[in-house]
Amino acid sequence: MNRVIAFSRRNFMEIMRDPLSYIFCLGFPLVMLIIMTLVNESIPAEAGMVIFRIDNLSGGIAVFGLTFIMLFTGLSVAKDRAGAFLVRLYTTPMRSCDFIMGYIAPVMVIALAQVLITFAASFAISVITGIKLSAAGLGASMLALVPTAVMMIGLGLLFGSLFGEKAAPGLCSIVISLASFLGGVWFDPDGTGGILLKICKALPFYHSVHAARLAASLNFKDFWGHLGITAAWAVVITIAAVLVFKAKMKSETC
Amino acid sequence: MSAIETKNLTKRYKDKCAVDELNLSVNEGELFALLGVNGAGKTTTIRMLSCLSEPDKGECFVGGHSCARESGRVKRLIGVSPQETAVAENLTARENLELMCGIYGLSKEETKRRISEMTELFGLDEAKGRAKTLSGGWKRKLSIAMALIASPKVLFLDEPTLGLDVLARRELWKVIKSLKGKITVILTTHYMEEAEQLSDRIAIMIEGKIAAHGTLAEIETLTGEKGLENAFVKIAEGGKTHE
Ligand SMILES: Nc1ncnc2c1ncn2[C@@H]1O[C@H](COP(=O)(O)OP(=O)(O)OP(=O)(O)O)[C@@H](O)[C@H]1O
Ligand SMILES: [Mg+2]
């Protein structure tokens, strides 16, 4: 436990001292929230397009924000693997599970802080625009986003262990674009239907966004299905990430 | 009991034999210098002894524990200062030392005591700011302090004085000398004067094999040369004519 705490502290400090963390992890979701609210204000009511209305937008942006947590995790793991520091730690009593937990814990804290900030801003926007958003709903939505956060961190760990400092962030950007698009953050796949909806449903992001939105509106009828699918993905991805990290650690110490 | 023992230790990279049937024994409290030209296999040997690399053949023991089967025990005994400086760049010197204390599970009081000891020993209070802003030499001192902080029984120093100025090198020699007899130190270096000054015994590696070993006097007698540098050149060049 000592080892996990010591390594988590180091990772947390490394992240907090990198100005990029604030831009990507906290600033970017806020900016998107504001821009999309302004876009929403300029859509005429008779268009009937509500995807950017704050009650829909907040959950979508929260998932979008978490994809940056993935980028961040991937980047820090890949960066560490490129340097001599991690190899030095391999000669200490640190075990692979200490490394993994030490990477996951601090980004989990940052992920939760990010969701909190996104939802606080959403609440302010809902008050200003007069669209109803309940604090209880946002609280439930935050809990509903925990599996998504775990999944994103797992994906980051996976990409960071598999690829180098250059390739990992590139691949993460692809996932960021895909996740926000196929997750239905920028359009309504249910309204589109067809093959696109099938693809969306085959991937976890659509379910993450829906779980977050349904929880926010305190509508739990279809919620559990979406949450279950997200949680299942989170478990599978995390297990894969742990196995890959362990295998990589072993092959790098050969 | 020897602090370090290798038995036919061998490591191959593709066709290249980096370490070739190495048999080595280092006594407890001894300062043992591993010399050799670039690519002789010094770092590879240290990597295997510090459980970073698995041998293709043979085995090695640290403090009587097998690096292959009891790596957990071995890792508790050793401190490693790698050839490349290895510090957490965004942390200060003190935070780097605290990190190592945390990893080795030192208590709060021990952490405080060891950090002030290391800070004094290496003059680290001069190293202000994040590690990435430190000069190469200061980073190296920090890297060595990190290897020493948890009071290892066996210390590996892979080219510890690389990139240090003359004064800093002499300072570090003093630190290393002060460890003599207390802990076992394996040192690699390209500076013959350093090996002469510090080591109890010396081994000269050529292409993964030990070409000569013993005290400085023994090596001088063996080669009939005066001074380690001349003896080293004779052995190293002698090794080449075998090709
Ligand atoms: N990971 C690796 N893959 C392939 N070859 C390697 C690897 N590591 C070391 N070698 C080879 O093994 C040989 C021994 O390398 P090693 O780093 O042990 O030398 P060294 O004695 O430490 O040299 P130097 O004085 O330059 O540090 C070299 O020929 C090197 O090219
Ligand atoms: Mg070397």
Side-chain angles (χ1 to χ4, degrees), chain B residues 17-196:
Chain B
C17 209
V19 174
D20 195 359
E21 304 267 341
L22 192 75
N23 288 296
L24 199 73
S25 170
V26 179
N27 298 323
E28 241 170 81
E30 196 172 29
L31 205 152
F32 191 89
L34 210 48
L35 308 182
V37 294
N38 294 132
K42 304 179 295 292
T43 299
T44 308
T45 305
I46 290 186
R47 282 174 59 85
M48 286 190 280
L49 285 168
S50 51
C51 310
L52 273 180
S53 180
E54 281 173 24
D56 293 305
K57 213 184 116 198
E59 48 182 346
C60 49
F61 301 87
V62 174
H65 301 289
S66 156
C67 296
R69 291 184 303 277
E70 300 168 280
S71 63
R73 302 284 295 267
V74 171
K75 285 175 178 179
R76 257 163 234 284
L77 294 178
I78 61 172
V80 183
S81 164
Q83 183 166 353
E84 287 171 71
T85 323
V87 300
E89 301 277 336
N90 272 326
L91 265 51
T92 64
R94 195 189 172 83
E95 288 163 349
N96 266 291
L97 294 174
E98 279 170 354
L99 168 67
M100 295 312 275
C101 292
I103 286 174
Y104 285 96
L106 267 56
S107 71
K108 257 209 180 101
E109 295 78 51
E110 264 179 307
T111 300
K112 234 176 128 186
R113 185 173 58 80
R114 288 300 290 164
I115 288 180
S116 66
E117 281 173 14
M118 287 298 122
T119 307
E120 194 178 341
L121 196 58
F122 291 91
L124 283 175
D125 37 8
E126 277 182 55
K128 296 221 167 27
R130 296 183 195 171
K132 67 174 167 200
T133 66
L134 299 177
S135 76
W138 279 106
K139 265 194 209 175
R140 185 148 280 271
K141 287 189 213 174
L142 172 59
S143 186
I144 296 168
M146 286 163 74
L148 262 176
I149 190 127
S151 320
K153 291 266 187 306
V154 178
L155 178 67
F156 296 98
L157 298 173
D158 201 351
E159 301 194 25
T161 58
L162 184 75
L164 291 190
D165 65 49
V166 183
L167 298 181
R169 172 166 299 148
R170 296 274 157 115
E171 281 296 311
L172 188 59
W173 285 359
K174 260 194 235 158
V175 173
I176 296 173
K177 272 186 187 157
S178 73
L179 301 171
K180 279 179 83 157
K182 293 184 198 142
I183 65 175
T184 311
V185 182
I186 310 291
L187 168 101
T188 81
T189 182
H190 290 296
Y191 303 102
M192 295 302 136
E193 194 196 345
E194 188 164 301
E196 278 178 344

Side-chain angles (χ1 to χ4, degrees), chain A:
Chain A
M1 208 54 207
N2 277 326
R3 298 187 291 263
V4 177
I5 293 171
F7 191 56
S8 299
R9 267 194 60 186
R10 175 260 171 177
N11 290 331
F12 191 72
M13 287 196 274
E14 291 262 357
I15 296 172
M16 294 312 280
R17 286 175 188 180
D18 184 352
L20 274 183
S21 327
Y22 298 94
I23 297 170
F24 281 121
C25 292
L26 303 175
F28 205 53
L30 280 184
V31 169
M32 290 310 283
L33 208 55
I34 294 166
I35 292 177
M36 287 306 156
T37 300
L38 292 176
V39 169
N40 187 56
E41 290 300 307
S42 36
I43 297 173
E46 39 298 357
M49 195 173 146
V50 293
I51 188 84
F52 297 143
R53 206 174 61 197
I54 195 64
D55 52 341
N56 282 322
L57 190 63
S58 59
I61 295 289
V63 172
F64 180 59
L66 289 175
T67 59
F68 284 91
I69 299 286
M70 163 190 68
L71 171 72
F72 233 79
T73 315
L75 202 56
S76 46
V77 175
K79 234 195 312 203
D80 272 355
R81 286 202 315 119
F85 177 69
L86 201 60
V87 175
R88 134 168 259 158
L89 295 189
Y90 289 163
T91 69
T92 70
M94 291 276 294
R95 287 168 306 162
S96 50
C97 55
D98 300 327
F99 283 107
I100 292 165
M101 295 200 328
Y103 276 123
I104 293 177
V107 275
M108 195 68 204
V109 172
I110 290 168
L112 293 179
Q114 183 195 54
V115 174
L116 196 67
I117 289 171
T118 307
F119 282 176
S122 302
F123 192 73
I125 291 173
S126 80
V127 171
I128 294 165
T129 55
I131 307 289
K132 211 175 138 21
L133 255 184
S134 73
L138 289 176
S141 188
M142 199 165 154
L143 288 179
L145 281 166
V146 170
T148 307
V150 172
M151 175 177 79
M152 293 299 177
I153 294 168
L155 273 175
L157 190 59
L158 189 64
F159 287 137
S161 319
L162 277 175
F163 307 102
E165 246 180 309
K166 295 239 160 57
L171 277 157
C172 287
S173 323
I174 295 175
V175 177
I176 291 175
S177 320
L178 279 180
S180 57
F181 181 70
L182 296 174
V185 178
W186 311 133
F187 80 109
D188 178 19
D190 295 299
T192 315
I195 181 86
L196 192 57
L197 181 63
K198 283 208 181 92
I199 295 173
C200 291
K201 282 188 170 171
L203 293 168
F205 315 112
Y206 168 90
H207 302 286
S208 299
V209 173
H210 272 68
R213 281 182 186 153
L214 289 169
S217 62
L218 293 170
N219 172 1
F220 293 107
K221 198 169 136 271
D222 299 323
F223 167 78
W224 296 107
H226 292 300
L227 187 75
I229 294 173
T230 311
W233 274 95
V235 169
V236 171
I237 287 172
T238 307
I239 290 173
V242 168
L243 293 179
V244 168
F245 184 89
K246 282 190 171 185
K248 276 277 172 180
M249 182 173 161
K250 200 156 168 47
S251 76
E252 259 152 38
T253 56
C254 255

